[in-house]
Amino acid sequence: AQKVTQAQTEISVVEKEDVTLDCVYETRDTTYYLFWYKQPPSGELVFLIRRNSFDEQNEISGRYSWNFQKSTSSFNFTITASQVVDSAVYFCALSEADGGSQGNLIFGKGTKLSVKP
Amino acid sequence: DGGITQSPKYLFRKEGQNVTLSCEQNLNHDAMYWYRQDPGQGLRLIYYSQIVNDFQKGDIAEGYSVSREKKESFPLTVTSAQKNPTAFYLCASSIIVHSGGLGDTQYFGPGTRLTVL
C-alpha cells in the first residue's frame, strides 16, 4: 500500500481560481513529518513546508496554505488566487521512523497543476 | 552562493557503459541523498549518506554505486547492471538535526537527465 497518496494526477485551473491539492498519508508512527515540494518545469524540487505530527495548526504563507488533519491522515495544500507561475508538479512527502530509515522521504506520485491565463 | 550543483544537466550513455553523475554541495550539510524520478512517478531513494565514508542503500540501489570521500561530494555511478537507467536523477542534502535524520529538511539540486541510447 502506498504510504503517501496524491489521488489527483493532474489539475487544470484558470488564473485567479483557488485550488486544493490533496495528500493522504499512512504511518503507524506517532512522530513523523510531512513535507510539500514544488517541481517547476526546470526540474529542481523546491521546498515549501515541513510539518511535524504534533503540530496540527494550519499554516498560511502568502497565497499558500496547508491544512493538516491527523484524524483523516491528510495534509492538503491550497493555493489561493492561482497564478501561471504556480504551474508545476507538487509532491507531498512523509518522513517516519519506521524501518530505521528515519531521514528518508517517502514521496507521493505528485500532482501536476496547470494554471491557464 | 550556497547550494547544490549537479553535473552534467544532460547525459547520454550507450548500453553497457558505466557513467558517473556528480553532486556537490557547499551548504556544510551532513547528509546527502540520491533519488531517481521516472515520468509520472514520485522520487525513489537510491542511496544516502549521513557521514563521510559511510552510506546506506535506499529502496532501489541495485545497479548503482556511490562514494562519500568528502563531506561536500556524493557521486553516483550508474553501472551496466542497471537494467533501465534512463531517468531523471536528483541529489539532495540536509543538516542532521534529529537523531537518524528524522524530519530533516532535504534541499535538492537541479538534477541530471540520463538517457541510454
Side-chain angles (χ1 to χ4, degrees), chain A residues 37 39 44 50 91 95 102-103 108, chain B residues 37 42 99-103 106:
Chain A
Y37 285 87
Q39 186 177 41
E44 180 173 348
R50 183 189 77 166
F91 290 96
S95 174
Q102 295 186 16
Chain B
Q37 184 180 20
S99 173
L102 174 66
Q106 295 182 21

Side-chain angles (χ1 to χ4, degrees), chain B residues 12-31:
Chain B
F12 298 89
R13 189 195 92 174
K14 292 182 180 179
E15 279 195 43
Q17 284 183 339
N18 291 357
V19 63
T20 297
L21 282 58
S22 168
C23 177
E24 304 274 334
Q25 54 96 2
N26 60 5
L27 301 168
N28 200 31
H29 283 179
D30 308 295

Side-chain angles (χ1 to χ4, degrees), chain B residues 36 46-47 57-65 79 81-83:
Chain B
R36 170 182 171 139
I46 304 173
Y47 269 99
K57 293 181 179 180
D59 300 319
I60 55 166
E62 185 175 348
Y64 299 97
S65 65
T79 74
Q82 169 50 233
K83 299 296 181 205

Side-chain angles (χ1 to χ4, degrees), chain A residues 6 9-10 17 27 35 38 50 53 55 59 61-62 77-78 83 85 94 97 101-103 108 116:
Chain A
Q6 296 180 255
T9 305
E10 291 192 40
E17 282 186 32
T27 181
F35 298 79
K38 173 182 180 179
R50 183 189 77 166
S53 52
D55 182 3
E59 180 152 342
S61 176
F77 173 32
T78 297
Q83 299 176 3
V85 293
L94 167 71
S101 56
Q102 295 186 16
K116 302 188 187 317

Side-chain angles (χ1 to χ4, degrees), chain A residues 31-33 35 37 39 42-45 47 50 91 95-97 100-105 107-109, chain B residues 9 33 35 37 40-43 45 48 88 90 98-110:
Chain A
T31 302
Y32 54 90
Y33 291 78
F35 298 79
Y37 285 87
Q39 186 177 41
S42 61
E44 180 173 348
L45 260 73
F47 165 71
R50 183 189 77 166
F91 290 96
S95 174
E96 58 174 4
S101 56
Q102 295 186 16
N104 301 339
L105 294 177
F107 284 86
K109 293 190 176 182
Chain B
K9 189 174 177 67
Y33 308 81
Y35 291 89
Q37 184 180 20
Q41 300 294 315
L43 280 67
L45 183 66
Y48 65 103
F88 187 52
L90 285 154
H98 306 92
S99 173
L102 174 66
D104 295 334
T105 299
Q106 295 182 21
Y107 296 92
F108 286 79

